[in-house]
Amino acid sequence: MKPACGKGSEMQATIVAAEPLAARAGLQILEQGGNAVDAAVTVGFALAVTFPEAGNIGGGGFLVGDVGRARGTDDGQPICLDFREKAPLKADRDLYVRAAEAGIEKASLLGHLAAAVPGSVAGLLDALDRWGSLPRSRVLAPAIGLASRGFPMTASRHRRLSSKGTRGQMTLFEETARIFYPDGEPVAAGEIFKQPDLARTLQRIADNGREGFYGGETADHILVEMKRGGGLIAIEDLESYRAVVREPVQFELNGVEVLTMPAPSSGGICLEQMLRILSRFPLEEFGAGSTDTIHLLAESMRRSFADRNHFLGDPDFVSIPTEKLLSEERIEAMAKSIDLKKSTPSSAITPAGATEKEETTHYSILDRHGNAVAVTTTLNGSFGSKVVVPGTGFLLNNEMDDFTARPGEPNLFGLVQGEANAVEPGKRPLSSMTPTVVIGSGGEVRGVLGTPGGPTIITNVLQVFLGLYRHNLSPEDAVSQPKVHHQSLPDHLYHEEGIAKETLMALKDRGHQLKRRGKIGDFQLISVAPGGAVRGVSDPRGGGTTATKVKIQRN
Ligand code: DON
């Protein structure tokens, strides 16, 4: 196949993100001559202002990309950066068991003990240093402007902040209440929401780099708040936090090459396992959304998640048998163990997880040279731990809940995990975030994929990939098709609405325990057709947008 684009021709610069102001901020950076990484850094900081449920400087994330092309003439190089939060050095494996015994039920989810050491600022600045081209002050300027000048409160955020559950938890913390409920109520839809403290924190980062967050005034504020609220993050944690460059999970399948996230995300390993299991079955013949296809999806998902929950954790702490998990023998055995007509029960049934609203966010970027960046970032739950550090304007994550916080018990996402993901000082909790870039056989970018959704992230990326590269769906249909999800435990086949009744009955007959659930994910896809046409699709399930450059400005 001839490279359709990338080499010698310019591409339609495109950003797809869950929040329009942040997407446009990134596009401006591309229009000013910034590259995909510059734009990713801008979108990341802007989302911390405009999408406080999940956009963050108090959380963490992952970046996968294929960059380094200049003026459409070169091949890209895979890049992969881990800026996942870390457990504080004072944390230990029984932290949340003790908290539960002391009557604090939600310690890994709500309040100061839930917060792991934030990684986003280190990660975004590190990405800029390594692969960006613009100065820090330029890429941070849009976020600072949005925080200080403010922007209109959306109706959906207003609704969310007004909901009983969110309000009840957010207002437990005085500073969070002061910012998000001035005069006791959320800022009305359409009114301007300003965040002056956050603007000053972002300015300190622009002025002083990582020291503007992990040292000086910002660090002082964090430490004071940790002491006041009984949290564990200490100065050593802040000073020692570093993002880590990782080798992406990389494999070829269906005529494309996939670059995706390795541990401490489970996304890459599971995605590869599931895709390779499914490559042994004629899905094209079965058709997208058919009983046979959904059955096979569920069976490959349940098998892969069993491995995930048992073997995977932070590779800096546990040894992951990656070679074994991805060996031909293993994939073959997993595929062979699937009964085409009957579901295999997962070994035990566990109660479903908590019902708290979850939130993460993903953005996909393609610059005009054909460089691609995929970033998924999170505070874990919606608005994280709900703790705003006084004086800084930012929310801390509740990522500690992604660990096996209490052995044998399901976490926020109903995941029952093992020893490999136990809490240890300085360890990163296992993630499911799966930012993914797909490369065509000519070296050109064909897809930039990702979504929020906890464990459904992996299975959602799987289904969009299959939609695009096996079922030949349009990018819009690949994203909007009804999604299913299985995570081994609990032994449920979750599904969105929209699957035909007869299909659901046939799946039930094969032994699947069906569970209808609400919207799965908020996919942000860029798809590049073999002819070079670029399509951005922001999931109709969310409120995001595609920002794309109409006019090409040359440097
Ligand atoms: O890293 C993870 O897998 C989770 N903390 C992601 C949380 C998430 O996607 C919530 N969003 N809907």
Side-chain angles (χ1 to χ4, degrees):
M1 188 171 76
K2 184 102 185 68
C5 46
K7 297 189 180 168
S9 61
E10 286 201 339
M11 317 248 337
Q12 172 106 359
T14 301
I15 298 184
V16 190
E19 194 288 314
L21 294 168
R24 278 185 217 124
L27 192 67
Q28 271 170 21
I29 289 292
L30 292 180
E31 283 170 348
Q32 290 168 17
N35 65 24
V37 172
D38 295 316
V41 176
T42 291
V43 176
F45 281 115
L47 284 169
V49 178
T50 60
F51 198 73
E53 296 90 328
N56 67 81
I57 53 175
F62 300 124
L63 177 154
V64 170
D66 195 63
V67 301
R69 298 174 182 84
R71 301 189 182 286
T73 53
D74 311 313
D75 276 335
Q77 294 300 319
I79 58 171
C80 179
L81 192 67
D82 163 4
F83 49 99
R84 179 74 161 165
E85 303 92 323
K86 292 172 78 159
L89 293 166
K90 278 191 246 154
D92 68 81
R93 56 178 298 132
D94 299 324
L95 179 62
Y96 300 104
V97 177
R98 285 197 306 276
E101 282 166 4
I104 316 169
E105 273 305 319
K106 286 188 163 217
S108 65
L109 280 169
L110 182 65
H112 301 72
L113 274 184
V117 185
S120 289
V121 174
L124 293 174
L125 296 182
D126 200 18
L128 183 68
D129 276 354
R130 287 175 191 278
W131 307 297
S133 67
L134 295 180
R136 204 163 59 217
S137 56
R138 278 274 280 290
V139 295
L140 267 139
I144 296 170
L146 285 161
S148 60
R149 285 193 301 277
F151 57 93
M153 174 65 72
T154 61
S156 67
R157 181 163 300 108
H158 177 81
R159 261 198 311 279
R160 177 173 288 184
L161 286 168
S162 305
S163 78
K164 202 168 155 222
T166 302
R167 181 196 284 258
Q169 293 193 336
M170 298 280 276
T171 54
L172 290 174
F173 306 99
E174 209 176 295
E175 184 71 354
T176 312
R178 184 180 74 80
I179 291 175
F180 290 98
Y181 302 84
D183 309 318
E185 290 302 321
V187 172
E191 297 277 301
I192 299 298
F193 177 49
K194 293 187 183 178
Q195 300 171 84
D197 284 349
L198 181 56
R200 282 188 285 273
T201 302
L202 291 165
Q203 188 63 56
R204 287 195 292 279
I205 297 169
D207 293 342
N208 306 316
R210 58 165 286 132
E211 188 59 19
F213 184 85
Y214 296 96
E217 191 183 331
T218 314
D220 287 347
H221 284 306
I222 298 173
L223 299 176
V224 167
E225 180 60 8
M226 284 292 125
K227 198 154 181 204
R228 202 189 61 75
L232 298 182
I233 299 173
I235 188 66
E236 298 75 34
D237 293 305
L238 297 174
E239 283 176 352
S240 64
Y241 186 89
R242 294 287 180 283
V244 184
V245 172
R246 307 255 179 217
E247 277 297 311
V249 169
Q250 215 165 332
F251 57 96
E252 286 183 21
L253 209 70
N254 307 121
V256 291
E257 183 180 11
V258 181
L259 305 174
T260 185
M261 196 64 211
S265 176
S266 55
I269 290 179
C270 290
L271 183 65
E272 178 171 350
Q273 273 192 335
M274 295 186 293
L275 282 172
R276 285 178 47 205
I277 294 171
L278 291 166
S279 72
R280 281 144 166 91
F281 299 94
L283 293 192
E284 294 80 355
E285 223 171 84
F286 296 148
S290 65
T291 306
D292 285 329
T293 295
I294 296 179
H295 175 73
L296 285 166
L297 285 175
E299 293 306 303
S300 54
M301 289 171 185
R302 88 161 79 233
R303 283 162 176 75
S304 187
F305 267 81
D307 276 0
R308 174 200 190 277
N309 296 343
H310 185 75
F311 289 110
L312 303 192
D314 181 349
D316 297 341
F317 283 73
V318 293
S319 136
I320 299 176
T322 311
E323 249 175 59
K324 180 173 131 196
L325 296 178
L326 297 173
S327 66
E328 271 305 294
E329 295 74 27
R330 171 104 191 129
I331 302 291
E332 182 67 16
M334 287 169 115
K336 274 217 165 113
S337 71
I338 296 178
D339 181 333
L340 272 172
K341 293 289 164 216
K342 220 165 103 251
S343 73
T344 315
S346 300
S347 48
I349 307 279
T350 318
T355 53
E356 186 184 332
K357 180 78 183 83
E358 46 198 66
E359 197 70 63
T360 292
T361 194
H362 175 88
Y363 50 99
S364 295
I365 298 183
L366 186 72
D367 70 20
R368 70 174 201 255
H369 304 302
N371 298 306
V373 172
V375 178
T376 314
T377 182
T378 191
L379 291 165
N380 193 31
S382 187
F383 302 104
S385 64
K386 316 289 196 285
V387 175
V388 172
V389 177
T392 67
F394 72 84
L395 281 154
L396 285 167
N397 65 82
N398 59 353
E399 219 69 62
M400 292 297 282
D401 191 67
D402 273 350
F403 280 116
T404 309
R406 289 190 274 159
E409 288 188 34
N411 74 355
L412 173 62
F413 304 105
L415 288 169
V416 181
Q417 310 181 94
E419 187 59 31
N421 190 29
V423 183
E424 290 183 60
K427 188 177 178 184
R428 288 167 154 92
L430 183 63
S431 173
S432 300
M433 294 187 288
T434 315
T436 298
V437 174
V438 177
I439 308 288
S441 57
E444 79 288 7
V445 168
R446 293 284 310 279
V448 193
L449 288 73
T451 178
T456 69
I457 292 173
I458 317 174
T459 54
N460 199 349
V461 171
L462 170 76
Q463 288 166 86
V464 172
F465 182 96
L466 293 171
L468 290 172
Y469 305 111
R470 292 199 64 186
H471 294 302
N472 213 11
L473 299 184
S474 70
E476 287 78 6
D477 288 348
V479 169
S480 61
Q481 61 175 322
K483 304 283 173 46
V484 299
H485 173 69
H486 203 299
Q487 58 183 42
S488 176
L489 294 176
D491 193 345
H492 294 149
L493 174 51
Y494 297 98
H495 66 91
E496 288 186 307
E497 73 171 338
I499 296 173
K501 217 164 151 200
E502 311 76 68
T503 308
L504 293 176
M505 296 215 332
L507 287 163
K508 210 166 158 210
D509 285 346
R510 291 187 190 190
H512 293 286
Q513 301 179 45
L514 298 174
K515 269 255 188 287
R516 162 94 182 270
R517 56 180 280 175
K519 294 173 187 165
I520 293 184
D522 185 12
F523 218 96
Q524 310 298 331
L525 168 71
I526 296 176
S527 173
V528 186
V534 179
R535 249 331 218 293
V537 181
S538 186
D539 203 323
R541 295 167 181 83
T545 200
T546 298
T548 191
K549 192 156 87 167
V550 185
K551 189 173 70 148
I552 291 170
Q553 271 178 236
R554 294 182 190 275
N555 284 337

